[in-house]
Amino acid sequence: MTTGYGADERLARAALTRVIEPGDENAGRWLHKFGARGLMEFLTSPEGTDEETLCEVGPRRIRGLRARAAAAAPERDLAAIAAVGGRFVCPGDQEWPTQLDDLGTSRPIGLWVRGRPDLRLWALRSVAVVGARACTPYGAHMAGSIASGLAERGWVVTSGAAYGVDGAAHRGALASDGATVAVLACGVDVVYPPGHAELVRRIAEQGLVVGELAPGDHPTRSRFILRNRVIAALTRGTVVVEAEYRSGSLVTARSAQRLGRFTMGVPGPATSGLSAGVHELLRGEGVLVTDAAEVVELVGDMGDLAPARRGPVLARDLLDPLGRRILDALPARAALGGREIARESATTADEALGKLYELHSLGFVERHGEGWQLTPRTTRDGGTRRAGP
């Protein structure tokens, strides 16, 4: 694997994933200014040494960072990730997804990764499918169906391995022998939620499990929220399936919008609180989607168009304008003479009579003495019924 940093700088970045919380923009500026090695040297230097270095934060915060830095053991963490078949990926590495650089100062320090595939290559054709943890059967069905369709089309499904929509999306991709990435808010060797132990194991075997936090680290509420920016940045677009107004899934969608990614929503019942957040998203810049084809049409290459949506073509639709006018002129339950039909359809008696015989042969009209009327089926649905002899 080609790397962008020397061994000391990589080791320092691995250590900093124990020290710095995900998304810390102050730390992003410090890394840009001092580098990871320089920042770790400062945080492990004797207290009181050049305290003005990190002037954006107060002394209490610096003491907290120093305490974390003193306890960091990057060699142990690197050995732990290797023991589960994983690796640590840094900015500048060949495997680093460069779209994460769009996060600027909140870009991850590095990513801990489990799984064999190349993260950068997978991220090039990936879509996030996220939504409510307490989703309805409809939400689980839509998430699984969209994820399965995306996987069948060669797209990577990215989500957060949570209960509900996330789990349904991962399972949909796995069921199609497709590619899926789980972005965790904890160490990639930690199973959270515990009920998804088997799912996370399957993702690690067939796909990728990714996280910013060092091995063994636990999730917190803020880490879940900050994890969502990585999901948004890794993917070309985010699909939200069921979300309340305060859903974390909408945080992912807003992050995607800020990053210039596509944001999509799957509509639900107007009476469902679980779809209220999605509908609000659709009232703004979100795009309504109902299946994988519509998602790919938005995020894919030129020419990846969803099939046209239209109702069935009825036999009446195939008639010429005069034929349709004559049918419109005929009452549903009474017969009219040829001259009356000609007058109502704005044509001559000869033209009307010729067209009536044509419509009779096609099963649209019946003749009763000197009058004409619609066949019962034409009255009902506009379909065709061959006239009897």
Side-chain angles (χ1 to χ4, degrees), residues 267-337:
T271 54
S272 172
L274 278 173
S275 289
V278 178
H279 296 160
E280 191 64 22
L281 177 69
L282 294 175
R283 281 170 51 82
E285 297 181 7
V287 177
L288 187 151
V289 294
T290 60
D291 60 20
E294 292 175 351
V295 174
V296 173
E297 181 178 73
L298 197 63
V299 303
D301 300 322
M302 186 177 296
D304 289 339
L305 301 178
R309 316 290 184 178
R310 56 173 63 93
V313 177
L314 301 177
R316 186 168 182 158
D317 300 331
L318 303 177
L319 296 175
D320 61 23
L322 177 57
R324 291 196 294 270
R325 289 207 310 273
I326 287 178
L327 289 183
D328 290 339
L330 287 168
R333 294 182 177 86
L336 283 182

Side-chain angles (χ1 to χ4, degrees), residues 3-196:
T3 62
Y5 294 108
D8 290 344
E9 187 73 6
R10 292 179 61 78
L11 199 62
R13 280 187 171 264
L16 285 170
T17 63
R18 284 261 181 222
V19 179
I20 305 297
E21 283 295 309
D24 189 324
E25 295 191 5
N26 285 326
R29 286 187 283 271
W30 300 335
L31 280 168
H32 181 73
K33 184 175 181 180
F34 306 113
R37 183 179 177 184
L39 182 57
M40 276 300 292
E41 286 177 350
F42 168 76
L43 292 174
T44 54
S45 62
E47 191 167 347
T49 304
D50 194 13
E51 294 293 349
E52 296 299 317
T53 301
L54 310 183
C55 57
E56 295 93 340
V57 298
R60 182 179 298 179
R61 173 76 187 286
I62 294 176
R63 286 196 296 272
L65 294 174
R66 285 184 182 277
R68 283 188 169 189
E75 295 92 346
R76 182 182 61 202
D77 289 334
L78 290 169
I81 194 66
V84 294
R87 56 201 177 276
F88 182 61
V89 179
C90 287
D93 286 355
Q94 184 175 337
E95 194 180 357
W96 180 258
T98 54
Q99 56 264 59
L100 289 176
D101 299 343
D102 294 344
L103 291 169
T105 53
S106 70
R107 181 184 71 173
I109 296 167
L111 290 175
W112 301 88
V113 180
R114 286 176 63 192
R116 291 185 294 273
D118 186 289
L119 176 60
R120 185 185 68 83
L121 293 179
W122 273 28
L124 293 174
R125 280 178 61 86
S126 63
V127 176
V129 180
V130 297
R133 286 176 170 81
C135 69
T136 66
Y138 163 78
H141 169 77
M142 292 303 298
S145 175
I146 288 173
S148 177
L150 288 169
E152 290 170 358
R153 289 166 171 79
W155 286 81
V156 179
V157 176
T158 300
S159 198
Y163 290 133
V165 166
D166 287 18
H170 289 304
R171 291 187 183 95
L174 292 169
S176 297
D177 292 325
T180 188
V181 176
V183 182
L184 305 186
C186 53
V188 295
D189 58 341
V190 175
V191 175
Y192 192 90
H196 275 178

